[in-house]
Amino acid sequence: MNFSRINGRGRVLTRVRRNLAVSISAGTALLLCSATFSMSQSATLPIMPLPSDVQTHDGRQVLSPHFSYFTSGARDERIDRAVARTLRQVEERSGLLFDRTPEGKFVAAADGKAAALLIDCRAASAAIPQLGEDESYTLEISTAQTVLRAPTTLGVLRGLATWTQLVKSDRSGWFLPALTMRDAPHFGWRGLLIDVARHWQPIDVIKRNLDGMALVKLNVLHLHLTEDQGFRIESKTHPKLHELGSDGLYFTQKQIREIIAYAAERGIRVVPEFDMPGHATSWVVGYPNLASAPGPYAIERRWGVFDPVLDPTNEDVYKLLEAFLGEMAALFPDPYLHIGGDENNGKQWTANAKIQEFIREKNLKDNGGLHAYFNRRLLDILQKNGKKLVGWDEILHPDLPKDAVVQSWRGAAGLAAASKAGHNVILSNGYYIDLIQPAREHYAIDPLPAGNTLTAEEQARVLGGEATMWAEWVGPETIDSRIWPRTAAIAERLWSPREVKDKADMYRRLDYVSRRLDEIGLQHLRYREPMLRTYAGDAAQNEDLAVLRELLTLLEPVKGYRRNHAMNDAGPSQFIPLTGLPDLAGPDAPATRAFAEAAEPVIFEKGNPSELRAAFEHWRRVAARLQDCAASGRLGPRSGEVASIGQQLAELAEIGQEVVNAAESSSSETHGAAWRDQIIEKLDKNAGSAPVVEFPAANSLKLLAAAVSERPRQGEFAPAAWRKHLKALAFPKKSK
Amino acid sequence: MNFSRINGRGRVLTRVRRNLAVSISAGTALLLCSATFSMSQSATLPIMPLPSDVQTHDGRQVLSPHFSYFTSGARDERIDRAVARTLRQVEERSGLLFDRTPEGKFVAAADGKAAALLIDCRAASAAIPQLGEDESYTLEISTAQTVLRAPTTLGVLRGLATWTQLVKSDRSGWFLPALTMRDAPHFGWRGLLIDVARHWQPIDVIKRNLDGMALVKLNVLHLHLTEDQGFRIESKTHPKLHELGSDGLYFTQKQIREIIAYAAERGIRVVPEFDMPGHATSWVVGYPNLASAPGPYAIERRWGVFDPVLDPTNEDVYKLLEAFLGEMAALFPDPYLHIGGDENNGKQWTANAKIQEFIREKNLKDNGGLHAYFNRRLLDILQKNGKKLVGWDEILHPDLPKDAVVQSWRGAAGLAAASKAGHNVILSNGYYIDLIQPAREHYAIDPLPAGNTLTAEEQARVLGGEATMWAEWVGPETIDSRIWPRTAAIAERLWSPREVKDKADMYRRLDYVSRRLDEIGLQHLRYREPMLRTYAGDAAQNEDLAVLRELLTLLEPVKGYRRNHAMNDAGPSQFIPLTGLPDLAGPDAPATRAFAEAAEPVIFEKGNPSELRAAFEHWRRVAARLQDCAASGRLGPRSGEVASIGQQLAELAEIGQEVVNAAESSSSETHGAAWRDQIIEKLDKNAGSAPVVEFPAANSLKLLAAAVSERPRQGEFAPAAWRKHLKALAFPKKSK
């Protein structure tokens, strides 16, 4: 079999199917299976990311307790361990108990023919995964066995991640659908950034998220290790960095090695980030002389962009960095090392006469030039240690050497500019999962969208992307609920062919992968019930918990940076308990998603609003139950908050009713701009007055109000322009 | 204030109240509080274990964000850390954000008067807690502040564990009820044994359970580290012990030190157990020459009592033990070291001519004498290392030196015998939480019950007790659900005065402490939902999950060792996935408990059975829903099991109906012994046919059938004898 066509970056793809409806191939030689295997079950597969190419066949491979596997080709114990992990997961999910050897291992078959799972790995991957390694594989599942072939260990790992998602069941038992699959990634850099600095995330959080990443074929863990709010890694050369900068919450170097090994075992690279020269308060708590203004400094406890910045004119800074980065370069085997470089507000530099003098002396022009000077010095240090530099948008400067990689957080323009300037680039703009957008919005972002204007060479420099889990509002209990399952949609965008983009099908499959993530120990579903019990309190009854659960299908945390803004005066932000309504609530609340989908045709195509009317009825009932349970006093100190939310939901239903009535009324005269603005104002007041949670359905209602108010002018617009026009009216003051 | 009266073992108690109804002291000088503080709220306190003495007052200490504390007396940073842990828990529970210093610490008040929490600790405890240390404390909560006084750091920790349970809320906010409390433990050895050997339990399981232990004032973690199925501790002197005996699943010595420090921080001792000479298969995998029969050996994967036993006639055994126990004695600071000693079946010794010759030569009489010889040799090694020996019942032998401690797993007789023989003793019989008995049964077991016949001296040798979490059927996901909350009831038995024994009140408070345990991260409640989702499968609807949840209020795992017996042929037991119905189900299922309570007066006092009839109706409805959901096929491979359970429940309802009808019928002639035995047979068949789960309500029905059948003879019996008589009839073949 020739893999070369789908190798490497995987852009040369064969037989990519649009719309994911996987065809049923009737003419195979496979045996027909029992009648319970319905056509609808095989219509699409419950897997994520979708593969490049798949054909399902009639029939199934039944999983029996007498399961054995066989590996041919390269010997690699990582494969045995990955098989053992996979089979144990299947056992725990299914209740099956697979055969064991006397030593307690899963059984290796005598030969490939006798094996339920035959794995053929052409060559063992290096001990540490490398950017650009071949991750392709093929799966051939017949009634007799699964054959998984891959050119590398990495490909085998990716194939096993697919295989475990294919395991399904019906009344008769557990099985895999017969199929033929070829698969390879679209992009080679598919990352998840975890900010362990703003809120500390201990090693078990990292490990379980590595398990999740492996399941959806992400291959880069980007650890954001330093921030104003914490220096989260042990330095043996400069121990005051972590000792004074972390409240004692940091990774030891031994733990880092453990993380790297755990990741490598799953085919995942670990790229560390040490953010400089800004975002550096925690550095200068222990070493105040490195800052650009006199100390002393304390760990920052709030969120935002702060002044402390390293002093690029101070040779002591480079002495520390030579030692520290040397130490880190030895600790982290990956050739890429991220130096941050973002959001330096320049205030300390501007206020420091000595620094300004230095800029003039060295002809650096301005603070930007000084930043570039600093980066060149950093680059020297990294090169001496055999590392390539990665940094955020702001490092882009004409003087930046071409082998520096730019990670774009500010948008497509920055990405294109960096790529045109000759840099490899990674996209993160659009993948900021901390901002609580629905999965469909992230899913729509393609690092290389159809119709982009980059040359082939420039396109080749787009390595991929990274979801970014910034940690202002996540602790170890809630972080999984912000990462998953939405990051699986981003993983699919980065792995699957560009043509895989049906949002409804993505959401359908997201529900499956969410369950698989739940089963392997991610906390995104299970964190909520204990937190809800605590929120509701000792006196709450089942009915109270039930209505709060209903509420959480309608309510979401506020989006963007609104929670920062709302909480800025509450006290030291880092210590705010993450156990309130915005923590219980999550992105993509189910009823919210359903409402947006039902509203879409009503807004843009004058569809039938009966589903919306039913939703208003539902809201009214939920609102009444919330009021009752708040009035009962059983929710103790939460009663006031719940009453107010209930009140808002009731008003939302009233406003919704008014907007839909207007949409159906024949007279448009009374529903002009003034009416629309009044609706928008009422919605802002009533769906946004709880400062940190919102009812996103209000957005659909705003759009509908805009559509009603502009209905007479619809003829003037093409469909896309009409959509844009309504959005502009519905969200007039929307700031980014 | 004089603490001497309640010092030490704490048996001298003042003003112990029976029945837990805490009196309201009206005549205090405290200010009256707002009208929302009702009398009923203060009637009993939601805490466990109950203190020796408490008086509640009108009024409350309101918790405000401006919280500060002050420590007087001995300086001990453990107290600051314990306060920080406690306050953080309160923050996460309440959503309050307490003030912080610029360094991010909770605020220390300028003086005692200004503090919301004043802690007076007379003397800092030793770094490692010791048996017999003073753990007493007093709490004085007024509207102004809490004053916590204790003679030792340990007492402060116990007082904080009470304080955090006293925090409650109503509509107006968070507060503590005003009260005066004196408290001290009944027994000084209050332990939890965790078997980390049969199923491996990683360090995070241990840590969260230490948190739970601290909350309910348990003070000994007994780590059962070696078993036939695993050698779970790193040995540097004999690394083949853990390398070949553990599948790689063991505590490193560094982790052990981490556990000891974590425990000490919470006032908990760590006593290690190395089980010898039996239960030793995992020892001899790496060192087969130490066994009493030729090897090779493999790690045992099944449950039971196995033959491999160390050879006491082999000097190499003592060489290894000298090195290994020396190593362990240095690692574990506690003066007590447990050498197991239980369940040596003697087969290898009997079959070995050389060993039998040794017994004759040394005049050891028999295998028992050889075991005593082995123990003497062990004792020498321990004494050389400054350790005291602890072992199970079987080590009791006339030659056993008096300073060896006997842990009784076989019963009150063994406990008394060992105490009379001059040994200190610990009770575990009756506290076997792995056997899935309801909490009330463990709660009824007192190491020193009223009316015991021990002399004062013998009584003084009863140090306390230990709950034992044997790990045949628990993994890291389920172990908390077997330990908690029932172990809190055992903790109360060991801490609180003997007179605290009202079961209904125990259960009422157990619900509160269960929530507090949930809040600090124990998994006993939260483990179930994810497992239920997996059990129900991808196609399950909310209604399916709902009825399965209902089922789990009625169903429990089988008791005693029945699961071992039922599963003995299923394959290597250690690998059976612990994700099935008996894992989902737990002890003390709520509806089961309610049914038993409702049945009690009907059985023994001819009470009104209307509640029972209502239960049968409920069972019928649940059964019908189970059948429906099984028939739908949505439960996939679980459909058959669920259908069968539904069928059993329906039949249980029919039988119940028949028994209650008989109880109400005026004719007793048709309901004699034959009828009763037929009912019992039907119940055995229909409530016990799922081999690993059962409907415990069947037991109440058996008793009721027995009562009906013997009704004409009731006059012949005194009440207690009548009860005993019915039990004998209802459970005729009941084996221990």
Side-chain angles (χ1 to χ4, degrees), chain A residues 350-482:
Chain A
T350 302
N352 184 322
K354 194 184 112 262
I355 289 175
Q356 293 305 315
E357 176 59 29
F358 184 92
I359 290 173
R360 279 189 295 276
E361 261 177 24
K362 299 262 183 192
N363 265 327
L364 297 174
K365 204 173 143 197
D366 55 13
N367 286 349
L370 183 64
H371 191 173
Y373 166 86
F374 177 71
N375 287 339
R376 279 199 308 278
R377 298 285 304 263
L378 277 183
L379 200 74
D380 289 344
I381 298 172
L382 293 187
Q383 282 172 342
K384 238 186 278 177
N385 287 286
K387 296 293 180 185
K388 298 177 193 170
L389 182 150
V390 194
W392 298 103
D393 283 312
E394 291 97 321
I395 68 163
L396 188 61
H397 187 275
D399 294 348
L400 185 70
K402 297 302 172 218
D403 65 351
V405 177
V406 176
Q407 181 164 14
S408 174
W409 70 278
R410 296 195 297 195
L415 187 88
S419 167
K420 284 178 192 300
H423 296 281
N424 280 343
V425 293
I426 309 160
L427 183 65
S428 277
N429 181 279
Y431 301 144
Y432 266 42
I433 50 178
D434 59 316
L435 303 186
I436 318 287
Q437 295 167 251
R440 62 178 178 275
E441 295 184 9
H442 300 305
Y443 193 61
I445 305 294
D446 190 334
L448 278 177
N452 71 77
T453 59
L454 298 183
T455 66
E457 202 181 355
E458 287 157 6
Q459 291 197 23
R461 292 195 199 107
V462 179
L463 301 180
E466 282 187 5
T468 54
M469 183 67 263
W470 300 110
E472 279 91 341
W473 299 109
V474 290
E477 291 78 17
T478 58
I479 188 168
D480 295 7
S481 73
R482 291 352 190 207

Side-chain angles (χ1 to χ4, degrees), chain B residues 407-701:
Chain B
Q407 181 164 15
S408 174
W409 70 277
R410 296 195 296 195
L415 186 88
S419 168
K420 284 178 193 298
H423 295 282
N424 279 343
V425 293
I426 309 160
L427 183 65
S428 277
N429 180 279
Y431 301 144
Y432 266 42
I433 51 178
D434 58 315
L435 304 186
I436 317 287
Q437 295 167 251
R440 62 178 179 273
E441 295 184 9
H442 299 305
Y443 193 62
I445 305 294
D446 190 333
L448 278 177
N452 72 77
T453 59
L454 298 183
T455 66
E457 201 181 358
E458 287 158 4
Q459 291 197 22
R461 291 194 200 110
V462 178
L463 302 180
E466 282 188 4
T468 53
M469 183 68 261
W470 300 110
E472 280 91 339
W473 299 109
V474 291
E477 291 78 18
T478 57
I479 188 168
D480 295 7
S481 73
R482 292 347 190 212
I483 298 177
W484 307 106
R486 290 180 304 152
T487 295
I490 298 173
E492 175 158 288
R493 173 58 49 243
L494 297 173
W495 175 280
S496 300
R498 181 190 288 157
E499 294 76 8
V500 173
K501 62 182 184 186
D502 183 291
K503 289 176 188 176
D505 191 71
M506 178 276 286
Y507 270 123
R508 189 188 64 76
R509 289 177 294 107
L510 198 62
D511 285 345
Y512 286 104
V513 81
S514 184
R515 284 164 166 276
R516 300 295 88 78
L517 290 161
D518 184 34
E519 283 157 8
I520 64 175
L522 273 299
Q523 312 276 309
H524 60 300
L525 300 176
R526 68 187 66 172
Y527 89 100
R528 186 181 273 175
E529 278 294 312
M531 199 173 277
L532 187 61
R533 282 193 287 275
T534 301
Y535 178 85
D538 288 357
Q541 303 293 310
N542 282 341
E543 67 208 72
D544 304 318
L545 294 169
V547 66
L548 288 172
R549 277 187 212 108
E550 281 288 346
L551 174 65
L552 294 174
T553 70
L554 296 164
L555 193 74
E556 295 186 4
V558 290
K559 309 294 178 287
Y561 297 101
R562 281 176 56 203
R563 191 168 177 187
N564 289 12
H565 303 325
M567 301 302 284
N568 253 350
D569 298 320
S573 314
Q574 197 174 33
F575 300 124
I576 292 175
L578 299 175
T579 51
L581 264 193
D583 308 294
L584 279 163
D588 266 329
T592 284
R593 199 209 287 175
F595 188 85
E597 282 163 16
E600 185 85 3
V602 184
I603 299 166
F604 298 108
E605 299 151 35
K606 295 182 200 159
N608 182 335
S610 62
E611 272 190 67
L612 305 190
R613 290 192 190 280
F616 305 146
E617 275 314 303
H618 174 60
W619 297 354
R620 281 193 196 98
R621 285 192 302 271
V622 174
R625 288 165 63 201
L626 287 168
Q627 303 284 18
D628 286 351
C629 104
S632 76
R634 290 189 300 265
L635 299 182
R638 312 293 191 179
S639 303
E641 181 175 53
V642 169
S644 145
I645 291 281
Q647 179 64 24
Q648 282 177 50
L649 184 58
E651 291 189 28
L652 192 68
E654 293 315 308
I655 302 169
Q657 191 73 56
E658 182 186 346
V659 174
V660 165
N661 286 346
E664 293 200 314
S665 90
S666 49
S667 142
S668 64
E669 282 164 36
T670 50
H671 300 120
W675 170 82
R676 175 192 72 221
D677 292 343
Q678 182 206 358
I679 291 288
I680 291 172
E681 193 192 332
K682 280 203 284 184
L683 286 168
D684 278 339
K685 215 177 80 192
N686 295 317
S689 71
V692 288
V693 285
E694 64 181 21
F695 292 106
N699 291 331
S700 302
L701 295 177

Side-chain angles (χ1 to χ4, degrees), chain A residues 63-137:
Chain A
L63 287 181
S64 97
H66 305 301
F67 191 97
S68 65
Y69 74 104
F70 184 82
T71 54
S72 71
R75 276 300 308 149
D76 188 339
E77 287 191 0
R78 281 173 296 186
I79 294 176
D80 297 286
R81 292 191 294 264
V83 168
R85 286 196 302 274
T86 304
L87 292 181
R88 186 60 187 165
Q89 283 163 16
V90 173
E91 283 187 329
E92 294 193 333
R93 183 175 163 207
S94 66
L96 288 170
L97 175 64
F98 294 132
D99 289 344
R100 297 296 201 290
T101 67
E103 293 73 37
K105 308 270 187 198
F106 291 104
V107 175
D111 57 54
K113 261 192 186 163
L117 172 61
L118 188 164
I119 296 176
D120 181 55
C121 174
R122 213 176 304 154
S125 296
I128 296 292
Q130 304 294 320
L131 174 64
E133 262 191 276
D134 191 337
E135 300 177 87
S136 69
Y137 67 92

